[in-house]
Amino acid sequence: MNTTKLDALRKKYGAASGSDMFDPEFKAVAATQFSQGDRRSKPYSGVQTFLSLPYCPEAASSDDFGGLDVAVVGVPMDLGVTNRSGSRFGPRAVRDIERIGPYEHVLKRVPSSMCKAADIGDVGFRSRFSLEKSHEDIQEFYGRLVKAGVIPLSVGGDHSISYSILKAIGAKQPVGMVHFDAHCDTSGEYEGAKFHHGGPFRLAVLDGVLDPERCVQIGIRGSSEYLWEFSRDSGMTVIHGEDVPKLGTDAILETVRKVIGTGPVYVSFDVDCLDPAFAPGTGTPEVGGLTTREALELLRGLDGLDIVGGDVVEVAPQYDATTNTAQAGAQMLFELFSLIAGKIASR
């Protein structure tokens, strides 16, 4: 062993605590976490919030939402599912994941220190039984967020929630979308109901709030392909799950940037985009999906886009014996937060 090097390491680190960092980048991150010497908050105590952000439910009672830049919102509603219910518990499950953040090591940022963000609780629903009223409540709540200039970061709930969120976000100008999913979710009305999780993006296009020619859908696969002709006819770019490893993340991201351009874009992440090996806890699992590593690379590759909101949906914890799905969902939420924080900091 190199004794000279050992002596130097002993001199530098021998009396150092776990909160003592020497690299300037790591020292700046540590400063956001250690406020009292080597003490920091316990991940298993206190009230759990998304990404350990401040809990500010009172923000929703003011017109400016307390001057927030980013509001994390739970949308615990799954009345629009076609298969297994349970994603109403998704926001709670994701809040319970403590091993997320604060540092995004690839993008090299601590998003919570780059903007004013808080967990403002859940959308308040007037009825646990009415799908139609629930969507009215979502649109009203997000309309207020958009009016206040707050960027929403949401956790569902089934994927139908994205429609009413988009109705609010795209009210003045239609947005583009990067959509991670096993299903295109562009089918029509079924059994007298249009607010189901298989059709939010057809509705958003027809309502003029989503520009289909600025939409990329990634990870599409399974036996429901015949339901998604609207994606093709409207001009959406569809990248199937089996093509992801063939194309590679760099080529996919090149396509995304070409299609999305410089305009406003919404990012919607359905956890069934991931293979059930990584995310079994969801209502409509489809084998042959993305790995968590592929999904993270693709999300990080969106850095610099004009992201005006995002969501993670369809986490259904009762089918998730290991909590892997909630862990994956929380990590994807953190990546979205990191992207949005980077945009805010660059203004």
Side-chain angles (χ1 to χ4, degrees):
M1 188 172 183
N2 186 326
T3 56
T4 301
K5 182 176 181 179
L6 177 60
D7 287 342
L9 289 171
R10 284 171 172 167
K11 182 178 180 181
K12 184 174 183 179
Y13 290 101
S17 72
S19 61
D20 293 326
M21 309 295 170
F22 300 94
D23 179 279
E25 180 181 331
F26 296 156
K27 189 172 184 178
V29 177
T32 69
Q33 302 301 305
F34 296 96
S35 59
Q36 301 176 14
D38 60 356
R39 298 178 65 86
R40 56 176 171 162
S41 61
K42 302 177 181 65
Y44 49 82
S45 65
V47 177
Q48 287 296 103
T49 65
F50 289 130
L51 315 177
S52 298
L53 289 171
Y55 181 51
C56 301
E58 71 284 353
S61 63
S62 62
D63 291 339
D64 68 348
F65 284 82
L68 293 175
D69 297 311
V70 178
V72 180
V73 185
V75 192
M77 193 281 294
D78 64 359
L79 296 173
V81 297
T82 56
N83 189 24
R84 303 190 298 188
S85 61
S87 59
R88 67 182 63 184
F89 296 105
R92 182 178 294 178
V94 173
R95 280 187 173 105
D96 281 341
I97 299 298
E98 72 279 353
R99 293 293 300 161
I100 300 295
Y103 183 52
E104 212 299 341
H105 73 284
V106 176
L107 299 175
K108 298 186 182 303
R109 60 187 59 154
V110 181
S112 59
S113 68
M114 300 169 69
C115 60
K116 186 175 181 180
D119 182 336
I120 64 171
D122 295 340
V123 173
F125 292 109
R126 291 170 293 164
S127 171
R128 74 185 72 186
F129 305 110
S130 173
L131 180 57
E132 290 76 12
K133 286 184 178 179
S134 293
H135 276 276
E136 290 173 3
D137 294 337
I138 294 169
Q139 186 177 342
E140 188 277 333
F141 188 89
Y142 281 83
R144 292 179 54 230
L145 277 170
V146 171
K147 184 178 180 181
V150 182
I151 297 178
L153 190 57
S154 313
V155 177
D158 72 60
H159 217 159
S160 71
I161 71 168
S162 299
Y163 166 56
S164 292
I165 295 173
L166 284 168
K167 284 270 285 184
I169 289 179
K172 292 185 177 180
Q173 176 186 358
V175 299
M177 180 176 66
V178 183
H179 172 208
F180 295 84
D181 208 321
H183 316 98
C184 287
D185 293 350
T186 51
S187 63
E189 181 176 311
Y190 293 120
E191 302 171 20
K194 68 176 184 177
F195 296 115
H196 57 78
H197 70 168
F201 303 122
R202 178 191 292 205
L203 293 175
V205 169
L206 295 178
D207 281 350
V209 297
L210 180 65
D211 182 353
E213 295 186 356
R214 293 186 57 240
C215 290
V216 182
Q217 301 183 299
I218 302 170
I220 308 304
R221 61 193 187 276
S223 60
S224 298
E225 179 74 18
Y226 68 99
L227 299 174
W228 315 133
E229 66 178 2
F230 183 86
S231 289
R232 181 186 66 237
D233 288 350
S234 65
M236 294 182 179
T237 299
V238 179
I239 299 174
H240 287 87
E242 61 270 18
D243 293 326
V244 170
K246 296 175 185 176
L247 293 170
T249 55
D250 288 344
I252 293 171
L253 289 169
E254 183 178 349
T255 297
V256 168
R257 290 186 176 276
K258 181 179 179 181
V259 172
I260 296 301
T262 59
V265 59
Y266 188 80
V267 182
S268 187
F269 194 99
D270 187 326
V271 291
D272 69 28
C273 171
L274 302 172
D275 191 272
F278 302 93
T282 190
T284 48
E286 300 278 3
V287 299
L290 274 65
T291 68
T292 47
R293 184 175 59 249
E294 288 170 330
L296 290 173
E297 288 178 0
L298 288 168
L299 279 171
R300 289 164 178 157
L302 304 181
D303 194 30
L305 295 181
D306 183 14
I307 299 174
V308 293
D311 62 48
V312 173
V313 298
E314 301 283 356
V315 173
Q318 62 270 54
Y319 313 117
D320 190 18
T322 63
T323 73
N324 281 358
T325 309
Q327 181 79 35
Q331 186 66 48
M332 302 309 160
L333 182 71
F334 178 66
E335 300 303 325
L336 287 174
F337 183 31
S338 298
L339 296 173
I340 291 170
K343 167 191 167 177
I344 292 170
S346 66
R347 288 174 178 171

